[in-house]
Amino acid sequence: MPEDCLFCRIVAGEVPADVVHESGTAVAFRDANPQAPVHVLVVPRRHEPDLATLTRADADAASGVLRAIADVAEAEGVAGGYRIVLNTGASAGQSVFHVHAHVLGGRDLAWPPG
Ligand code: AMP
């Protein structure tokens, strides 16, 4: 685990977070700066910077993230309409380089996202 990775430290319980879901491969917690009534981050326990590296390194962990997204959407009451965002790379707005899916819902979401 990279010692300077914020999301590794949340997964390890070293940094407090509002955890809403856990599985053997993934952890989900509320975003500290929510952009919608439901804004949950789903991260794999395994540290990888983005979805491509995670999928190639550990397909079970990648599918665990997808399963956790579905479980979170259902538990948060937004399964009928929500958005998944995986900002990938600094130019796309990624600021934490431990892959994470934003699960956004609870309001109408405009498209295109900008
Ligand atoms: P991104 O810009 O796609 O890398 O997303 C990083 C997200 O992490 C942002 O939406 C932040 O609000 C969120 N964030 C940063 N620090 C924390 C934290 N300690 N707990 C929960 N969410 C955080």
Side-chain angles (χ1 to χ4, degrees), residues 6-7 29-33 41 87 93-96 100 102:
L6 172 63
F7 289 173
F29 51 91
R30 296 197 192 283
D31 196 292
N33 183 24
L41 301 176
N87 294 325
Q94 186 175 5
S95 61
V96 179
H100 51 282
H102 297 254

